[in-house]
Amino acid sequence: MDEFNNYNAQQEEYRANHAEYRQTENNRQSCYTPGDTNKPRQDKSRGNGAGGYVLTGVLCLLLGIAIGSGVTALALSAIRNAMDGIEEAGPSIGQEIEDALDDIFDGGFDFDFHYDQNNDFQTQGDEYVEQEAMEYIKRELPEFDGAAPVITDTQNPAPDIVEQVYDGVVGINTYGEYDGRMEMDGYGSGFVVSSEGYIITNAHVIRGAEKVTVTFSDQQEADAEVVGSDFTLDIAVLKVKKSGLIPLAIGDSDSVRVGEFTIAIGNPSGSELAGTTTFGIISAKARSINVDGQQNDYIQTDAAINPGNSGGPMLSMEGKVIGITTAKNIYAGYDEYGNSISAEGLGFAIPINEAMEIACQLIENGRIIRPGMGVNVIGIDADTAEYYGIPEGILIYSVTRNGSAHKAGLKVDDIIVEYDGIATTTQDEFVDYVKGLDLGDVLHLVINRDGKTVEIDVIMADMNEMGDELVGGTSRIIE
């Protein structure tokens, strides 16, 4: 189950109540290495010490290899590798080695030693690798043949609804390969939408899975084919080969009214609590919420939503699906001491009208083409900029490996200060602007990188072909 915070609201409240802490934090940050708050900076002395011993040992070892083998090229290659290995020791040691090598080889050793204090931002293997185009299968739309439950008790329709839809709610199991064998490493919920074998769940439930199965109310488990996923709205469609499926009736989320009762069914905490039913009301019809960097409108409910409920149905009092449970907010803010305050009754569901529109495209085409960059961003307003000592703009919080942003050279903690000639505004306005671009469009960015201005052009690519692996980790400025 995805969890999220309203970042800006929490930061504003936190700053308002902790002026003294901010000063302490600024002092602490000025004394510790960026990105590692537990390790104090080391004095990079040029005096003799560990660096001298390292220098002597490296030179003796490598010169011995060169003399013994008689192959100078091999020695030079080994020296370069050794220097790469001790690069983190600091610029002073590196310079000592370089000077010594110049003396030994009479100036004939041409090697630039580079020390990057922020080298921990990038690791080996962070280079962009061109991806093969994904293959998609064309399909015909099935019949969505779910029937609404027969209500015998209009005063309390919940028992009739639960009894008649129970068999159409399923558990989603994901597996990964460990030590040569498949082991379950995740779970969620889903529901049948067609007797032809189609099942809907959240895309984040199956993300990264090497194998997906579906568990039915009779505890039978069947392998599932992933028909398609859309990570922007967080919808995935699966298909199983099984007869006798009970599809759920699809309702109309546009007709939902605030204050109506609703039922959520799913598998919180896995199969042990399969089919758990919770009851609540509709708190809002179109609550704009940012979940995992994606801004969408959700139906808000106070029906209990827990890990494992993701992908399950949210039902009207007619027993029809009006939403797909997808997230809950577990924090309501911070108290006067900076401790988080738990939130209750804040669950969110994707409106079924939007979900079915995406599901139909996934079934027919296998994908939704959504132009994007492959980044998660955070808006940096004036107060946040002052607090962290950074410029205002749009902070690159994470970069997706082999996405278009990665290919263009964007890095974590770059701050966008201008895009296509527009001075940066809010996070939502930037995201909306990017969503309005087409596949192949070029977005011109002016960014601040460690105090320097850099201009980068990013070509919009299909978000659904970028995967979810990050390059360079996540922001070291805002953690």
Side-chain angles (χ1 to χ4, degrees):
M1 170 60 58
D2 285 344
E3 300 171 352
F4 66 93
N5 295 318
N6 187 320
Y7 171 80
N8 290 331
Q10 291 175 356
Q11 287 295 329
E12 183 177 350
E13 181 177 353
Y14 191 83
R15 288 192 299 269
N17 291 299
H18 292 78
E20 183 177 352
Y21 172 81
R22 290 202 299 273
Q23 183 60 47
T24 303
E25 178 68 6
N26 289 336
N27 293 338
R28 183 186 64 79
Q29 290 181 350
S30 67
C31 298
Y32 287 78
T33 303
D36 188 352
T37 58
N38 295 318
K39 296 180 180 179
R41 297 174 186 244
Q42 301 297 319
D43 182 15
K44 303 294 192 303
S45 172
R46 287 185 175 271
N48 292 330
Y53 291 109
V54 171
L55 170 62
T56 303
V58 169
L59 291 179
C60 290
L61 174 62
L62 296 179
L63 290 177
I65 293 175
I67 295 172
S69 64
V71 182
T72 304
L74 178 62
L76 293 176
S77 176
I79 291 170
R80 286 186 175 91
N81 291 335
M83 291 184 70
D84 289 340
I86 64 171
E87 186 175 70
E88 293 184 358
S92 60
I93 297 176
Q95 189 61 53
E96 289 174 1
I97 295 176
E98 187 174 348
D99 293 341
L101 289 172
D102 282 338
D103 292 338
I104 292 170
F105 291 96
D106 195 23
F109 186 81
D110 184 17
F111 182 83
D112 291 331
F113 185 92
H114 298 285
Y115 174 76
D116 182 5
Q117 189 176 11
N118 295 317
N119 192 50
D120 59 329
F121 275 58
Q122 304 291 329
T123 59
Q124 285 187 342
D126 282 354
E127 296 81 7
Y128 173 83
V129 177
E130 195 69 47
Q131 302 297 291
E132 294 184 8
M134 297 177 65
E135 296 183 2
Y136 300 95
I137 300 174
K138 288 281 187 179
R139 304 173 187 263
E140 292 185 2
L141 277 179
E143 182 181 358
F144 300 114
D145 50 355
V150 176
I151 307 298
T152 61
D153 184 356
T154 57
Q155 296 297 315
N156 183 16
D160 287 332
I161 293 172
V162 174
E163 287 175 4
Q164 295 175 60
V165 305
Y166 184 82
D167 290 336
V169 182
V170 300
I172 309 296
N173 314 302
T174 60
Y175 292 81
E177 185 173 351
Y178 303 95
D179 297 327
R181 64 180 183 274
M182 286 290 180
E183 295 183 4
M184 192 171 81
D185 57 8
Y187 57 85
S189 304
F191 57 98
V192 181
V193 293
S194 171
S195 58
E196 296 179 37
Y198 289 96
I199 293 168
I200 290 181
T201 186
N202 282 143
H204 77 259
V205 170
I206 64 167
R207 176 176 286 174
E210 297 182 53
K211 176 183 176 182
V212 180
T213 67
V214 175
T215 301
F216 297 90
S217 59
D218 58 5
Q219 299 306 306
Q220 291 187 18
E221 188 175 4
D223 290 340
E225 171 194 357
V226 178
V227 174
S229 300
D230 176 58
F231 291 101
T232 300
L233 193 60
D234 199 11
I235 298 294
V237 178
L238 310 178
K239 192 173 190 296
V240 296
K241 295 180 179 179
K242 182 177 172 60
S243 60
L245 295 177
I246 307 297
L248 304 190
I250 305 301
D252 179 11
S253 53
D254 289 342
S255 65
V256 168
R257 299 174 61 193
V258 174
E260 287 185 7
F261 293 131
T262 186
I263 294 172
I265 304 178
N267 296 354
S269 301
S271 59
E272 293 83 359
L273 299 177
T276 294
T277 301
T278 56
F279 181 82
I281 65 170
I282 302 297
S283 306
K285 287 183 58 175
R287 189 75 77 190
S288 184
I289 297 295
N290 189 301
V291 179
D292 281 351
Q294 302 294 342
Q295 192 83 19
N296 292 301
D297 290 338
Y298 297 88
I299 298 174
Q300 182 182 333
T301 179
D302 69 345
I305 306 296
N306 293 289
N309 273 112
S310 289
M314 189 168 75
L315 305 156
S316 68
M317 287 298 98
E318 294 178 338
K320 297 181 179 180
V321 181
I322 56 172
I324 303 173
T325 56
T326 190
K328 69 174 296 184
N329 192 352
I330 64 172
Y331 299 120
Y334 292 93
D335 62 20
E336 58 182 327
Y337 303 106
N339 300 314
S340 60
I341 302 172
S342 297
E344 298 294 339
L346 295 178
F348 300 90
I350 302 167
I352 196 61
N353 290 13
E354 296 178 30
M356 289 304 297
E357 182 179 343
I358 297 299
C360 288
Q361 293 182 56
L362 290 175
I363 293 172
E364 288 186 305
N365 305 314
R367 63 171 175 168
I368 307 296
I369 297 178
R370 292 189 183 277
M373 302 167 54
V375 295
N376 281 326
V377 299
I378 294 177
I380 304 298
D381 58 19
D383 289 340
T384 305
E386 180 182 1
Y387 177 67
Y388 286 103
I390 57 178
E392 294 182 52
I394 307 296
L395 176 79
I396 303 297
Y397 182 79
S398 66
V399 178
T400 302
R401 183 179 297 279
N402 299 327
S404 57
H406 182 198
K407 183 177 184 178
L410 276 175
K411 297 182 180 181
V412 171
D413 285 332
D414 282 347
I415 299 175
I416 301 172
V417 295
E418 183 180 301
Y419 56 93
D420 280 353
I422 303 170
T424 51
T425 49
T426 66
Q427 173 184 331
D428 291 346
E429 289 175 328
F430 173 74
V431 170
D432 288 343
Y433 184 86
V434 173
K435 284 183 177 180
L437 298 176
D438 293 325
L439 214 62
D441 283 352
V442 177
L443 179 65
H444 181 69
L445 302 176
V446 178
I447 67 172
N448 181 291
R449 177 179 293 168
D450 298 328
K452 299 178 181 178
T453 299
V454 180
E455 297 189 24
I456 292 178
D457 288 334
V458 183
I459 300 174
M460 296 298 105
D462 188 354
M463 294 274 293
N464 291 301
E465 294 190 353
M466 294 184 191
D468 61 341
E469 184 181 355
L470 302 182
V471 57
T474 56
S475 174
R476 269 70 167 180
I477 296 175
I478 299 178
E479 295 183 300

